[in-house]
Amino acid sequence: MSKKKYPIPALFAIFALTISAIVPVLSVDYLMPNDFEEESWSKVIDYLEYVDVYAASHGKPRPPAGARANLYMTYVNHSGLQMLYAGLSNITLGLGRLTVTLPIQTFMMHYKTENQSKDVVTASSYIMLMAYNETADTTIYPDSPDRNDTLYASFSMGFDLSSLINTADRPGLSSKTTITPLTHSDDKTAWHWGMTYTNLTAIWWRVYLDPNNSSYQSVPVAVSVYEELTFTYDLIFNSDSNTATLVSNYVIGRMTDLWVVDTWWWVFPVIVHYNSTGCYRLNKSRYSNETICQFLHKHGISMSIVLFQASAILDQLTESSVSGQNVTDNEVVVSNDTISTFAEDGEKIFDTDFGEKSTYTLHNQTSSTSTTHNAVTRTAQRKGFAKNPVFQIHTFLMRYIPLALAHMDEPLYEQAKNHLLNMTYADYFYIISYPTYDGYKIEHDPTHIAYLIIAGATPSDLFAGPFMLILTLVGVAAIIVAISIVVILRRKPKPITPS
């Protein structure tokens, strides 16, 4: 097994990776240092307010007038565990000039281990939907997207659709966002919250994830609209087993619209619009009777989601494996297994369990039927994702986190700067694929288990040692990250073609 040494600030950097915004569904609030002494809360934060104040006082470029960046956060501080969640959707630049939806999700947990009372931080981040077409003769992992398959990253990256679909009814880049408020059982052993994006527009980018040739095609190949993309979470405490289990439920809604480039007489490119009734030209005349589901089925398009996981112990080594096989920067099928993360002395600190729910439900709204299929999960090599320019927003943000540490605590900065705080240093990437798709609604829920001291803890007990300082860094890091997002979204993607 390979071993990695992480400072805890690196995990907060991974958490801060996801700083962005959502359409406000609650009144905008403020994040204060003493918030982390509370037992629980949920807030919508306008981070560009913080950016503006920080930039003005430090001589940094200020965000454009009228820009907004609202972040939905929930926090639970109970039974010896701190859980911090962030859900994000879009950033508005200027006076409504450009609003881009970025549905990235992250949750982070801090706790002390059951046997040795080690300080542990874990973070799990959803990155994107990835569609794929599999070629049976060359695929490496059946029913799972790999470097020999045709891959499409499916998310908005600030691309102006007017150059692709120059019609009045083209989809927008911002969707409606609603939240599932944070609630708990009477005994506070069960907590529930979530977030839903409806009518979510995603742009498909042809990507190449070979670690030795990681690139993307800078011209989009399709634009689609999903009925919804929903994330709900259940945090359950069990004092008998000294565990906190976080179940992440993913719902990928039915694909309602798809714009793709077709060819007429093998010469002239034609952009056509597929929906549930057929295929149409941009002037709304009928192009064919083929529906969106028939098109996706004919071309063998399947769907998957990409996430990465990180776990760390302050100044100690961690290792992640399944059945004794290292999964860090490795391709391992884990569909019916559990990836376990251990401390250097062998103490188990965290599990990601895929066997608990190894199937997914596919809902065919047309026939009002549901079918169950096997989900296929495997880990992936990091470089194919972390070094791919299509993820420039994600990787760009990470470079700014050490600057926040330098302002707050020089020793922490010196410890973290050599670890290049980006996706390159994640414990492992994993891809959950749904081979049977056809554009219908998918429901699935993997499980995350933390092993901790659970009895007798109170909120004040959790703030001993360096973790108190690190929590206060989140707000400052978010300021710098928000500036980064504004800068990079105003750039045009560089043309990149695979060699």
Side-chain angles (χ1 to χ4, degrees):
M1 298 181 186
S2 66
K3 297 182 177 181
K4 301 193 305 173
K5 189 174 182 180
Y6 271 123
I8 282 184
L11 272 297
F12 272 93
I14 293 173
F15 170 75
L17 158 72
T18 66
I19 297 300
S20 180
I22 68 169
V23 176
V25 291
L26 298 174
S27 58
V28 176
D29 208 336
Y30 296 92
L31 181 63
M32 307 299 292
N34 61 1
D35 287 341
F36 295 100
E37 299 175 14
E38 302 295 328
E39 185 177 42
S40 66
W41 47 259
S42 60
K43 294 185 176 186
V44 173
I45 312 296
D46 181 4
Y47 263 106
L48 286 188
E49 247 184 320
Y50 293 100
V51 171
D52 197 50
V53 173
Y54 179 86
S57 61
H58 289 79
K60 302 291 184 180
R62 300 176 69 173
R68 297 185 62 86
N70 299 325
L71 169 69
Y72 174 53
M73 300 176 69
T74 64
Y75 177 71
V76 176
N77 181 5
H78 183 73
S79 294
L81 177 136
Q82 293 164 290
M83 188 287 305
L84 186 59
Y85 156 86
L88 53 114
S89 175
N90 61 57
I91 298 170
T92 300
L93 300 179
L95 298 174
R97 289 178 300 164
L98 176 64
T99 300
V100 180
T101 296
L102 296 170
I104 305 173
Q105 302 274 303
T106 289
F107 64 83
M108 181 207 67
M109 296 190 286
H110 168 254
Y111 53 94
K112 291 183 181 294
T113 61
E114 178 181 2
N115 297 326
Q116 302 296 327
S117 297
K118 302 179 183 72
D119 262 319
V120 174
V121 176
T122 71
S124 181
S125 296
Y126 162 89
I127 299 176
M128 66 165 182
L129 296 173
M130 184 166 68
Y132 67 98
N133 170 263
E134 192 169 74
T135 304
D137 294 337
T138 60
T139 191
I140 303 172
Y141 298 97
D143 294 331
S144 179
D146 58 59
R147 59 183 175 272
N148 283 359
D149 298 332
T150 304
L151 309 176
Y152 305 97
S154 179
F155 63 93
S156 173
M157 205 169 67
F159 194 88
D160 184 1
L161 292 180
S162 63
S163 62
L164 183 65
I165 307 174
N166 191 20
T167 62
D169 60 348
R170 64 177 177 267
L173 292 177
S174 182
S175 68
K176 180 181 178 181
T177 308
T178 57
I179 66 169
T180 301
L182 179 66
T183 58
H184 60 76
S185 60
D186 291 340
D187 60 2
K188 299 183 179 179
T189 60
W191 301 74
H192 181 76
W193 70 96
M195 185 173 173
T196 298
Y197 309 84
T198 55
N199 295 322
L200 176 66
T201 298
I203 301 174
W204 292 25
W205 311 84
R206 178 76 166 92
V207 293
Y208 307 86
L209 296 178
D210 187 329
N212 299 315
N213 179 27
S214 183
S215 59
Y216 81 105
Q217 182 177 309
S218 60
V219 177
V221 298
V223 177
S224 63
V225 175
Y226 301 93
E227 213 165 42
E228 67 172 302
L229 183 58
T230 296
F231 303 86
T232 53
Y233 304 88
D234 291 283
L235 178 61
I236 302 168
F237 295 91
N238 188 328
S239 58
D240 293 334
S241 59
N242 279 341
T243 59
T245 300
L246 200 157
V247 179
S248 306
N249 183 64
Y250 306 122
V251 176
I252 304 171
R254 177 172 61 104
M255 191 184 295
T256 58
D257 299 89
L258 177 68
W259 289 263
V260 298
V261 177
D262 200 358
T263 55
W264 183 64
W265 289 60
W266 302 279
V267 177
F268 304 106
V270 177
I271 297 177
V272 292
H273 174 202
Y274 288 90
N275 59 26
S276 61
T277 64
C279 179
Y280 303 86
R281 299 179 180 87
L282 294 185
N283 62 6
K284 298 186 179 181
S285 63
R286 183 175 289 272
Y287 185 73
S288 75
N289 292 325
E290 186 176 39
T291 66
I292 184 172
C293 295
Q294 291 169 341
F295 173 85
L296 294 172
H297 180 81
K298 182 178 73 175
H299 290 276
I301 300 297
S302 298
M303 188 56 67
S304 66
I305 59 176
V306 181
L307 309 95
F308 72 88
Q309 178 69 37
S311 303
I313 304 171
L314 185 63
D315 292 328
Q316 293 194 29
L317 300 175
T318 64
E319 52 188 37
S320 297
S321 62
V322 55
S323 301
Q325 185 175 6
N326 170 42
V327 297
T328 300
D329 200 23
N330 199 6
E331 296 183 332
V332 182
V333 177
V334 295
S335 300
N336 297 303
D337 289 309
T338 297
I339 298 177
S340 297
T341 300
F342 299 88
E344 187 176 10
D345 60 7
E347 182 181 13
K348 183 188 288 189
I349 63 172
F350 191 78
D351 278 342
T352 303
D353 185 355
F354 304 105
E356 184 74 16
K357 186 68 179 293
S358 59
T359 61
Y360 66 98
T361 303
L362 190 68
H363 299 271
N364 184 336
Q365 287 91 335
T366 303
S367 61
S368 300
T369 59
S370 298
T371 53
T372 301
H373 306 272
N374 291 326
V376 178
T377 306
R378 69 174 180 87
T379 57
Q381 291 180 282
R382 295 174 299 193
K383 190 182 295 184
F385 293 93
K387 298 298 184 183
N388 196 307
V390 77
F391 301 109
Q392 59 181 323
I393 294 177
H394 304 75
T395 55
F396 183 84
L397 304 182
M398 306 306 293
R399 304 181 203 142
Y400 286 81
I401 309 305
L403 298 178
L405 297 177
H407 286 299
M408 298 299 296
D409 188 281
E410 187 65 25
L412 289 177
Y413 169 66
E414 292 298 328
Q415 189 177 23
K417 69 178 183 180
N418 294 327
H419 288 269
L420 301 177
L421 306 180
N422 58 41
M423 295 188 291
T424 304
Y425 289 87
D427 281 4
Y428 52 89
F429 277 84
Y430 60 100
I431 305 170
I432 304 175
S433 60
Y434 310 108
T436 304
Y437 175 51
D438 293 349
Y440 294 123
K441 178 180 175 180
I442 293 171
E443 289 185 356
H444 189 233
D445 54 344
T447 302
H448 312 269
I449 305 172
Y451 296 87
L452 68 156
I453 301 172
I454 203 169
T458 62
S460 60
D461 295 332
L462 301 176
F463 283 85
F467 194 72
M468 174 63 176
L469 170 62
I470 297 168
L471 275 176
T472 65
L473 296 178
V474 174
V476 178
I479 294 169
I480 300 174
V481 168
I483 293 176
S484 308
I485 295 175
V486 171
V487 170
I488 201 159
L489 284 179
R490 299 182 73 182
R491 297 178 177 175
K492 294 181 179 179
K494 296 179 180 179
I496 300 173
T497 55
S499 59

